[in-house]
């Protein structure tokens, strides 16, 4: 069974603070993803990583950065938290997909989420 | 511009009846579609998927139908059970760059009434 864990279930931070959200997966997956979930907007991709030290921007990267120093760990960093970053943050992982390969291996497995409140 | 749309934010169904959740997409490059289920305070869990080369995939009580010409897919749950009450997200995938990404719809809250 794939297990994706996130360091905190709930966080309360102040505006301007630097915030670290940690995610760990135990299935040796190459790909890891960070999303935020907001009512009426579904899940929106912030950043993803397809290998150690590699990262790519998703749809809403502004105000966020990421770090992937080890294969199993993917961190999301809010450099200076703002109230509009109050949200549910979800981490996911998936197997590697070879460019041009058949689809199907991209099923993503999610962690339980971190609910972040920025005051 | 939402490329994957779930136009019904909520759906209520009686236990034992069929639940039909709908999803529309606009990008013809999507070639793989997935449904996820999410309970409160938990992450989404994968439910069922379908490749664009198929028009139907079935797994127990869950069936996904794909109509490529209409860019529409639907999830059928028969019979519906109270434990099926959750938010259901439709997602679509396309190959681009270094990893296949998923684009999610906004979700439909399904409530199955006992």
């Amino acid at each position: 069974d794939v297990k994706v864990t996130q360091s905190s279930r709930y966080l309360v931070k102040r505006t301007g603070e630097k915030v670290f959200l940690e995610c760990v997966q135990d299935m040796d997956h190459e790909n890891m993803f960070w999303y935020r979930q907001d009512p009426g907007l579904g899940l929106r991709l912030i950043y993803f990583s397809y290998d150690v030290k590699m990262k790519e921007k998703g749809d809403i990267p502004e105000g966020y950065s990421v770090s992937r120093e080890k294969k199993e760990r993917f961190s999301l960093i809010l450099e200076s938290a703002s109230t509009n970053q109050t949200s549910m943050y979800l981490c996911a992982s998936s197997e590697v997909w070879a460019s041009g390969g058949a689809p199907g291996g991209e099923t993503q497995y999610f962690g339980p989420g971190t609910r972040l409140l920025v005051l | 511009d939402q490329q994957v749309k779930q136009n019904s934010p909520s759906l209520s169904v009686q236990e034992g009846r069929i639940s039909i959740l709908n999803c529309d997409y606009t990008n013809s490059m999507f070639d793989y579609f997935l449904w996820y289920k999410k309970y409160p305070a938990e992450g989404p869990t994968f439910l069922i998927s379908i490749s664009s080369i198929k028009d139907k995939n079935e797994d127990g009580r869950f069936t996904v139908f794909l109509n490529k010409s209409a860019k529409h897919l639907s999830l059928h749950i028969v019979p519906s059970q109270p434990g099926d009450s959750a938010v259901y997200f439709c997602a679509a995938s396309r190959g681009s760059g270094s990893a296949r990404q998923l684009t999610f719809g906004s979700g439909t809250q399904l409530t199955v009434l006992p």
Side-chain angles (χ1 to χ4, degrees):
Chain A
D1 248 9
V2 177
K3 190 149 174 100
V4 180
T5 56
Q6 295 183 229
S7 51
S8 305
R9 295 300 299 270
Y10 301 95
L11 271 181
V12 181
K13 296 292 181 181
R14 296 239 173 243
T15 302
E17 278 193 76
K18 191 168 186 176
V19 182
F20 293 87
L21 303 181
E22 304 284 337
C23 175
V24 177
Q25 50 96 4
D26 66 357
M27 281 303 291
D28 203 35
H29 283 169
E30 271 71 16
N31 301 326
M32 296 188 75
F33 306 82
W34 274 106
Y35 295 87
R36 60 178 283 176
Q37 182 199 354
D38 300 288
L41 297 176
L43 279 70
R44 293 181 292 166
L45 182 64
I46 304 170
Y47 267 97
F48 69 97
S49 168
Y50 53 92
D51 201 352
V52 176
K53 296 193 186 296
M54 305 305 288
K55 61 184 179 185
E56 285 197 23
K57 293 179 180 179
D59 299 319
I60 51 165
E62 296 78 21
Y64 303 95
S65 62
V66 290
S67 171
R68 190 148 180 222
E69 297 297 319
K70 293 185 177 181
K71 189 175 185 179
E72 68 272 18
R73 188 179 297 269
F74 191 36
S75 303
L76 179 70
I77 304 154
L78 286 65
E79 296 289 344
S80 177
S82 63
T83 55
N84 63 13
Q85 292 179 310
T86 291
S87 186
M88 167 73 89
Y89 289 88
L90 293 158
C91 174
S93 71
S94 72
E95 296 174 351
V96 67
W97 171 72
S99 179
E106 66 269 60
T107 300
Q108 293 181 16
Y109 299 89
F110 284 83
T114 296
R115 187 164 290 283
L116 173 66
L117 173 63
V118 182
L119 301 173
Chain B
D1 178 32
Q2 273 196 300
Q3 298 186 60
V4 178
K5 296 180 184 177
Q6 294 176 257
N7 291 318
S8 298
S10 63
L11 173 69
S12 290
V13 170
Q14 209 67 38
E15 180 178 5
R17 307 293 289 266
I18 184 172
S19 296
I20 300 177
L21 295 93
N22 293 303
C23 179
D24 297 294
Y25 62 95
T26 57
N27 191 335
S28 57
M29 297 300 291
F30 290 137
D31 59 3
Y32 197 73
F33 303 89
L34 306 89
W35 284 94
Y36 282 81
K37 179 168 76 172
K38 185 180 183 301
Y39 293 117
E42 293 184 15
T45 54
F46 170 71
L47 191 57
I48 193 170
S49 61
I50 187 167
S51 166
S52 60
I53 62 173
K54 295 186 174 181
D55 55 18
K56 177 182 174 182
N57 188 28
E58 195 170 350
D59 183 3
R61 296 186 297 114
F62 302 91
T63 303
V64 57
F65 295 92
L66 175 63
N67 182 334
K68 279 182 64 178
S69 60
K71 295 191 177 68
H72 177 83
L73 65 155
S74 60
L75 174 68
H76 293 211
I77 307 173
V78 182
S80 301
Q81 299 173 354
D84 296 330
S85 297
V87 177
Y88 289 78
F89 290 100
C90 167
S93 169
R94 67 190 187 283
S96 91
S98 47
R100 291 179 71 90
Q101 302 170 46
L102 295 181
T103 301
F104 285 84
S106 54
T108 296
Q109 170 71 58
L110 173 66
T111 302
V112 180
L113 305 167

